[in-house]
Amino acid sequence: MAEFHEKPTLLRRMQHALHVTPSLVPLIVLLAAIALFALLVGGRFFSAGSQSLVLQQVQIVGIVAAAQTLVILTAGIDLSVGAIMVLSSVVMGQFTFRYGLPPELAVLCGLLVGLGCGLINGLLVAYMKLPPFIVTLGTWQVFLATNFLFSRNETIRAQDIEAQAPILQFFGQSFRLGGATFTYGVVFMLILVLGLAYALRHTAWGRHVYAVGDDPDAAQLSGVNTKRVLISVYTLSGLICAFAGWALIGRIGSVSPTSGQEANIQSITAVVIGGISLFGGRGSILGALFGALIVGVVSLGLRMMGTDPQWTYFFIGVLIIVAVLVDQWIRKVAS
């Protein structure tokens, strides 16, 4: 019996490449955006100082987007990431200044609070089988209210932190490398993303995360403990958000219960633009980093051009819609 093999077209090969390497699209968009603004603004945009400024501006979003990515890969979503981040930072500050704990111990308490918040989300999703959107919508309100009640809406000033607990501002400390200035928050973001990228691609846990997001029933039949995977993902997400809270103190210098209000939307924006499927099971955490950088590059480029800030929201909104369309296109062809 004769067999006929249709030679794949260029379009088909492109679709296959995008399906296998989903972070390729945001990387291309990022490089194109840098090149475009370098032409429009001039060489100063392409300087090491400008590019390192982008990294500093997106460090918080990049860290929170890493946490959001883990959840979305399991076909969930976490609306409470911003509230966990701020609550953790408030715990670090209040435990230091109101209760007199050593700053190092206060930081540890803040990290444990973030971990605990993530664990609560994971238990509700895995064992109560509640929709992640509803669960995290509820816990977002609970954590946010806890934040305001516990902090009494008090802001701890940067001057007090510098004088008594400089470790709280650790991620805001900077160092120069060539013509660029980097903060320890940027270094942590890059190490976190690279570490999670390795874990997701080269460990059994990472393969289980993708399997649960792709088809939880099939994953369970193949021997994957889906409940344990979900709990680990949400718990790790909460811990990462607590580190983001620590980095937030370093970024703004103070401890404010009203900071980071847009972290939820910004993290989801970075994940979507980064080519990570909202249906779960497909995407790369590197894509989330590229997505955050795209937002930073577009914001800085438009600001340097002197355009109205509203254009930033316009172009980011267009990128989100295009990213979802591309994801649907890739999924349709791949299936």
Side-chain angles (χ1 to χ4, degrees):
M1 181 180 294
E3 293 185 3
F4 298 94
H5 297 281
E6 182 182 355
K7 186 178 180 179
T9 63
L10 177 61
L11 183 61
R12 173 70 75 170
R13 290 198 296 269
M14 182 187 302
Q15 292 165 346
H16 177 72
L18 296 179
H19 179 72
V20 174
T21 314
S23 61
L24 191 60
V25 174
L27 176 59
I28 294 173
V29 173
L30 175 62
L31 295 177
I34 293 175
L36 176 62
F37 284 114
L39 291 174
L40 295 176
V41 178
R44 59 195 177 101
F45 180 82
F46 204 65
S47 66
S50 296
Q51 297 307 309
S52 62
L53 178 60
V54 172
L55 286 172
Q56 293 178 43
Q57 290 176 339
V58 305
Q59 60 181 310
I60 305 301
V61 176
I63 296 172
V64 178
Q68 189 73 258
T69 298
L70 295 176
V71 176
I72 289 181
L73 284 177
T74 62
I77 194 167
D78 192 346
L79 300 178
S80 66
V81 288
I84 295 175
M85 175 184 72
V86 179
L87 176 59
S88 300
S89 69
V90 165
V91 168
M92 295 177 189
Q94 294 295 337
F95 274 27
T96 300
F97 289 91
R98 185 190 300 174
Y99 298 105
L101 267 66
E104 295 80 6
L105 182 58
V107 168
L108 177 61
C109 291
L111 296 178
L112 290 176
V113 166
L115 186 146
C117 292
L119 178 61
I120 292 172
N121 285 336
L123 291 173
L124 291 174
V125 171
Y127 283 96
M128 302 301 293
K129 298 189 181 301
L130 299 175
F133 181 88
I134 302 301
V135 167
T136 58
L137 179 63
T139 56
W140 168 36
Q141 300 290 338
V142 171
F143 299 153
L144 196 62
T146 303
N147 161 49
F148 288 122
L149 291 171
F150 179 69
S151 66
R152 301 172 187 170
N153 288 336
E154 297 176 352
T155 297
I156 302 174
R157 300 182 305 168
Q159 298 90 327
D160 296 332
I161 297 177
E162 291 175 2
Q164 302 180 45
I167 191 175
L168 295 181
Q169 297 177 338
F170 169 74
F171 284 119
Q173 299 175 16
S174 60
F175 62 93
R176 293 188 63 82
L177 187 62
T181 302
F182 298 94
T183 64
Y184 290 113
V186 170
V187 175
F188 175 78
M189 175 188 69
L190 297 176
I191 293 175
L192 172 68
V193 170
L194 292 176
L196 289 176
Y198 177 85
L200 288 170
R201 288 297 181 185
H202 301 286
T203 67
W205 174 80
R207 290 190 291 271
H208 292 169
V209 169
Y210 280 101
V212 170
D214 187 47
D215 190 335
D217 294 329
Q220 189 167 13
L221 289 174
S222 63
V224 176
N225 190 329
T226 56
K227 292 181 179 179
R228 184 180 300 172
V229 170
L230 287 173
I231 291 175
S232 68
V233 163
Y234 281 92
T235 303
L236 180 57
S237 173
L239 179 61
I240 293 173
C241 289
F243 273 103
W246 188 5
L248 180 65
I249 299 175
R251 177 63 182 164
I252 65 177
S254 60
V255 177
S256 173
T258 60
S259 59
Q261 295 295 325
E262 298 182 353
N264 298 342
I265 299 300
Q266 291 175 341
S267 66
I268 297 173
T269 298
V271 169
V272 172
I273 295 178
I276 297 168
S277 176
L278 292 176
F279 298 98
R282 193 182 69 82
S284 168
I285 199 163
L286 291 175
L289 175 61
F290 296 150
L293 290 174
I294 289 171
V295 175
V297 166
V298 171
S299 301
L300 179 63
L302 293 176
R303 194 181 315 123
M304 294 178 72
M305 290 175 61
T307 59
D308 191 309
Q310 299 305 322
W311 282 106
T312 301
Y313 296 105
F314 176 85
F315 286 115
I316 297 304
V318 171
L319 285 174
I320 292 174
I321 295 173
V322 172
V324 174
L325 289 174
V326 170
D327 175 63
Q328 293 282 5
W329 177 61
I330 295 173
R331 289 178 65 89
K332 181 179 180 180
V333 175
S335 60

